[in-house]
Amino acid sequence: EEDSAVEEFTPLVFKLPADGEAEQVAKGEKVKIGFGPAQCKLPKDCLSESDVMLLDSGWEVYLWVGKDADRSEKLSAFSKADAYCKDDPRTMNLPVTFVKSGYESSEFNAYFV
């Protein structure tokens, strides 16, 4: 589905290890577009400070880097996020936002409790 056709989506959080495949670590409840801030509340503790995580919110992909993430995870994060986006027509043209631990935007934090 193209992004403009997506009216609701279930946000997903993945761990991006330096080697190996992305591993889903959390799944939220469906969120509808156009209804203000995210209504889905993922557990904030699914973001591990020692890892790099990817949040697919449905309309934007966030690449979150924990403060203790391994250098190799940090270096491979963008290519893994790019591969994730290219894997599905829905995500192919979504913006990817880099988020550093401790500097999360209110839009990013709206997905978590």
Side-chain angles (χ1 to χ4, degrees):
E1 280 183 87
E2 288 191 27
D3 185 40
S4 61
V6 177
E7 294 182 5
E8 63 181 20
F9 184 77
T10 302
L12 303 169
V13 178
F14 295 89
K15 177 180 173 182
L16 300 180
D19 51 355
E21 296 295 314
E23 172 190 343
Q24 183 178 319
V25 296
K27 181 177 182 177
E29 297 174 20
K30 282 189 180 180
V31 177
K32 294 187 179 202
I33 192 168
F35 291 94
Q39 300 299 313
C40 168
K41 297 297 184 183
L42 294 157
K44 185 79 173 191
D45 63 359
C46 73
L47 300 176
S48 169
E49 290 290 352
S50 62
D51 293 310
V52 174
M53 314 298 280
L54 182 143
L55 166 62
D56 182 348
S57 71
W59 298 274
E60 186 168 359
V61 173
Y62 295 91
L63 189 58
W64 182 88
V65 179
K67 66 181 177 186
D68 301 322
D70 184 79
R71 185 174 188 270
S72 60
E73 288 177 322
K74 293 176 186 178
L75 291 173
S76 67
F78 284 101
S79 62
K80 289 195 179 245
D82 188 51
Y84 177 84
C85 290
K86 288 180 179 175
D87 196 39
D88 183 341
R90 180 190 59 81
T91 55
M92 196 166 286
N93 294 314
L94 292 182
V96 177
T97 301
F98 179 79
V99 181
K100 193 173 178 182
S101 176
Y103 298 92
E104 294 88 349
S105 67
S106 57
E107 291 84 9
F108 178 82
N109 281 330
Y111 287 96
F112 298 93
V113 289

